[in-house]
Amino acid sequence: QVQLVQSGAEVKKPGASVKVSCKSSGYTFTGQYIHWVRQAPGQGLEWMGWINPKSGGTNYAQKFQGRVNMTGDTSISTAYMELSSLKSDDTAVYYCARDFGYYGLDVWGQGTTVTVSS
Amino acid sequence: QSMLTQPPSVSGAPGQRVTISCTGTSSNIGAGFDVLWYQQLPGTAPKLLIYGNTQRPSGVPDRFSGSKSGTSASLAIAGLQAEDEADYYCQTYGSSVTGSRVFGTGTKVTVL
């Protein structure tokens, strides 16, 4: 079945970077965009951006431009989201999700908790 | 990008019908973009509930229905059940050029 499996929890210090992976299976990785969405503790969903795994093209929410980098490795069907210059309010669960066009973000990863603390 | 506004919470007794509103602007919902809805059970990833304003993915009970009018959309849950207690988010598009997404503020549904 279609699955997205994310890397494990991370603890980082302020100013550091974190790179979260999202491995796909059960479908053609280059066929659909991957989106990244985060959720701070007790808060709602916040869209961060997308990557087109086939072309490597990206689009980021204005809030994260200059600080986020989304990449993909087609050889292992894995997408990555790297966030730099971490601050305490970047503490959140980060999700990847498959974009199935008209049918929406239909498959989600299990989430990766990133904690930023000195 | 403007967020979509939802009521923080709604509640209902088992068997009742509840409705969640999602208010956007002329730049997103009012511009004709589709609205989607996601259900998030405690401690889990969001799950797609409604796409294309009114369509249910396979496996989603027909107790869940979506609608859209003007700059707003709604999710209705009929015959409320205990397992429907969750957070619900609407989502639309911020731009047809960039494919950006916009999420609602989220609504907590409590089954009394």
Side-chain angles (χ1 to χ4, degrees):
Chain A
Q1 75 280 23
V2 177
Q3 261 191 313
L4 298 174
V5 178
Q6 299 183 222
S7 48
E10 303 262 14
V11 179
K12 296 292 182 180
K13 294 194 181 302
S17 298
V18 68
K19 191 171 187 177
V20 179
S21 68
C22 170
K23 182 171 177 58
S24 72
S25 61
Y27 75 101
T28 302
F29 177 62
T30 53
Q32 272 82 43
Y33 288 21
I34 292 287
H35 291 246
W36 290 89
V37 176
R38 77 176 186 179
Q39 186 170 37
Q43 303 300 308
L45 303 175
E46 181 174 31
W47 181 78
M48 298 181 69
W50 56 252
I51 179 171
N52 177 348
K54 184 174 184 179
S55 68
T58 56
N59 177 250
Y60 305 139
Q62 191 169 6
K63 174 177 180 177
F64 300 103
Q65 284 180 6
R67 210 160 64 90
V68 71
N69 188 35
M70 296 178 188
T71 57
D73 186 337
T74 57
S75 68
I76 55 172
S77 299
T78 300
Y80 300 92
M81 186 284 300
E82 184 171 24
L83 190 62
S84 61
S85 302
L86 290 170
K87 301 167 282 188
S88 57
D89 59 7
D90 291 318
T91 294
V93 177
Y94 290 76
Y95 295 101
C96 61
R98 184 179 80 156
D99 184 348
F100 208 46
Y102 171 69
Y103 303 96
L105 304 179
D106 69 328
V107 178
W108 292 64
Q110 82 277 20
T112 297
T113 300
V114 175
T115 303
V116 182
S117 174
S118 55
Chain B
Q1 289 175 344
S2 304
M3 285 197 84
L4 307 174
T5 302
Q6 300 178 231
S9 63
V10 300
S11 61
Q16 283 191 329
R17 181 178 187 269
V18 297
T19 301
I20 301 168
S21 61
C22 172
T23 303
T25 68
S26 58
S27 299
N28 43 59
I29 297 178
F33 293 127
D34 283 344
V35 176
L36 301 89
W37 291 89
Y38 299 87
Q39 176 193 60
Q40 187 177 32
L41 297 170
T44 69
K47 169 192 168 186
L48 180 65
L49 207 59
I50 297 286
Y51 66 91
N53 304 312
T54 61
Q55 305 301 301
R56 288 184 308 276
S58 174
V60 173
D62 59 7
R63 303 185 291 103
F64 294 91
S65 62
S67 64
K68 173 190 162 185
S69 178
T71 58
S72 297
S74 292
L75 174 72
I77 309 174
L80 197 62
Q81 299 182 5
E83 59 260 36
D84 298 333
E85 187 158 295
D87 294 322
Y88 293 82
Y89 294 90
C90 58
Q91 177 246 300
T92 192
Y93 301 80
S95 166
S96 60
V97 174
T98 65
S100 62
R101 304 298 201 266
V102 179
F103 282 98
T105 49
T107 298
K108 168 71 176 179
V109 170
T110 301
V111 181
L112 301 172

